[in-house]
């Protein structure tokens, strides 16, 4: 090989190395590398999540089932009162309410605790080289365990109102997976922003309280007047679509194409934004804590 050929080959290799170096430093690549590293630590995430639940209910005879009991009493009370107010049969309203409150508890807990996922783990972040996304996974897994306790309420409600569960309920599984994917990017973004701006968790908590009343949980969409403005209240509410892809199959109904489209679109756009922002500011999180 001539000297010119060797020089050309070295120049191409140098260009490839520089291109790979620039790619590895791009925000989405940095974020994906951290997320993949965190998923390989799933054993650690599982252990930390179990420890959080045990620590929260330590020395309690019923443990997290205290939350299940209180939620069940609340569902029964609200179901009787609001069922009478809206003149809705309990056979329809009580399962709707039970599924909505149980799922809302999971969604809202992941979002609010996602705000402090990095703040609560500041000691670990400053001392151990654990991928930061593992703390978001820990938040989701901890609340998934509590959801597993609370979901027991739903079949008990079905038994109380003598309502069977159809095979359509299996659609709730991909719906819950898709909803959790959305909660993951939302918790990741809020974790980054709340680590920088400490007033943001209170704003998120207040916004969730408003969304709770705007979302069909204690009231059914059929209770709204048949007007375009009332329909917009439901269609433009992203939390309604997140609930619908999980709740509708449990009520023997198939989610609409709009529900799947909105939830899927939120997952794609949300993760694209989250990867860019998280990859760009990941190295600053430890300094913000």
């Amino acid at each position: 090989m001539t000297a010119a050929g060797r020089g050309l080959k070295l120049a191409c290799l140098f260009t490839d190395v520089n291109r790979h170096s620039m790619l590895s430093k791009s925000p989405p690549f940095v974020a994906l590398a951290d997320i993949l590293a965190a998923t390989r630590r799933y054993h650690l995430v599982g252990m930390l999540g179990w420890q959080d639940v045990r620590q929260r209910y330590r020395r309690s005879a019923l443990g997290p089932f205290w939350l299940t009991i209180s939620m069940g009493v609340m569902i029964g009370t609200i179901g009787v009162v609001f069922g009478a107010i809206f003149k809705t049969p309990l056979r329809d309203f009580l399962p709707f309410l039970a599924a909505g409150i149980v799922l809302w508890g999971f969604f809202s807990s992941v979002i609010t605790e996602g705000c402090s996922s990095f703040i609560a783990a500041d000691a670990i972040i400053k001392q151990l080289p654990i991928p930061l996304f593992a703390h978001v996974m820990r938040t989701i897994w901890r609340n998934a365990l509590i959801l597993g306790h609370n979901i027991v309420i739903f079949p008990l409600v079905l038994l109380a109102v003598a309502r069977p569960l159809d095979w359509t309920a299996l659609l709730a599984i991909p719906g819950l997976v898709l909803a959790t994917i959305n909660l993951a990017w939302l918790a990741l973004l809020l974790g980054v922003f709340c680590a920088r701006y400490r007033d943001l968790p209170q704003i998120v908590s207040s916004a969730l309280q408003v969304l709770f009343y705007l979302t069909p949980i204690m009231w059914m969409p059929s209770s709204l007047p048949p007007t375009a403005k009332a329909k917009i209240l439901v269609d433009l509410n992203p939390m309604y679509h997140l609930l619908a892809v999980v709740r509708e199959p449990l009520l023997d109904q198939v989610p609409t194409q709009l529900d799947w489209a909105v939830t899927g679109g939120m997952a794609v756009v949300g993760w694209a934004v989250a990867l860019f922002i998280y990859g760009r500011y990941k190295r600053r999180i430890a300094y913000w804590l």
Side-chain angles (χ1 to χ4, degrees):
M1 183 180 293
T2 63
R6 287 195 297 270
L8 180 62
K9 184 176 181 180
L10 289 174
C12 292
L13 289 174
F14 183 75
T15 302
D16 291 340
V17 170
N18 284 340
R19 186 180 303 160
H20 182 269
S21 177
M22 292 175 61
L23 181 63
S24 63
K25 293 180 180 179
S26 64
F29 188 89
V30 172
L32 283 174
D34 184 83
I35 291 172
L36 291 176
T39 55
R40 288 193 289 266
R41 301 283 189 93
Y42 65 92
H43 291 296
L44 176 63
V45 172
M47 182 190 68
L48 292 175
W50 277 107
Q51 182 180 357
D52 290 340
V53 175
R54 288 197 299 264
Q55 184 70 20
R56 183 179 299 182
Y57 299 99
R58 187 176 59 179
R59 296 184 180 180
S60 173
L62 296 179
F65 282 106
W66 277 118
L67 180 61
T68 304
I69 293 172
S70 63
M71 184 176 291
V73 173
M74 180 180 66
I75 289 172
T77 305
I78 295 177
V80 172
V81 174
F82 279 76
I85 292 175
F86 294 117
K87 298 180 180 180
T88 307
L90 284 181
R91 192 175 187 274
D92 297 328
F93 182 65
L94 204 57
F96 178 88
L97 176 68
I101 288 184
V102 170
L103 291 173
W104 179 266
F106 173 62
F107 293 172
S108 61
S109 295
V110 171
I111 293 173
T112 53
E113 294 180 17
C115 293
S116 58
S117 56
F118 297 137
I119 299 173
D122 61 341
I124 299 177
I125 292 174
K126 293 176 181 178
Q127 296 179 18
L128 299 176
I130 298 176
L132 295 184
F133 188 71
H135 303 293
V136 177
M137 294 173 59
R138 175 183 180 181
T139 300
I140 297 173
W141 173 240
R142 177 174 65 243
N143 287 283
L145 293 174
I146 297 175
L147 174 65
H149 290 86
N150 294 338
I151 201 64
V152 177
I153 298 173
F154 185 71
L156 295 178
V157 168
L158 293 181
L159 288 174
V161 299
R163 181 168 175 171
L165 193 64
D166 200 357
W167 289 103
T168 310
L170 293 177
L171 285 175
I173 298 176
L176 182 60
V177 171
L178 186 57
T180 306
I181 291 173
N182 278 282
L183 292 174
W185 70 257
L186 189 55
L188 178 61
L189 272 182
L190 289 175
V192 174
F193 287 137
C194 292
R196 177 64 179 87
Y197 304 103
R198 297 303 176 92
D199 293 327
L200 193 56
Q202 286 74 23
I203 299 175
V204 172
S205 179
S206 300
L208 284 174
Q209 291 180 6
V210 175
L211 272 176
F212 177 76
Y213 294 106
L214 292 178
T215 305
I217 297 175
M218 295 193 302
W219 51 273
M220 302 181 72
S222 58
S223 303
L224 293 175
T227 61
K229 291 182 179 180
K231 193 173 185 298
I232 289 176
L233 180 65
V234 174
D235 291 342
L236 295 184
N237 187 344
M239 294 301 293
Y240 166 71
H241 298 289
L242 286 180
L243 277 174
V245 294
V246 188
R247 180 174 58 186
E248 296 302 314
L250 295 176
L251 301 176
D252 298 337
Q253 298 176 11
V254 178
T256 64
Q257 293 183 354
L258 180 62
D259 295 331
W260 291 112
V262 171
T263 310
M266 286 172 53
V268 174
V269 176
W271 268 109
V273 175
L275 288 177
F276 180 80
I277 293 179
Y278 178 57
R280 183 172 183 178
Y281 296 105
K282 172 181 172 292
R283 294 181 177 87
R284 304 185 189 182
I285 293 176
Y287 298 98
W288 291 340
L289 300 177

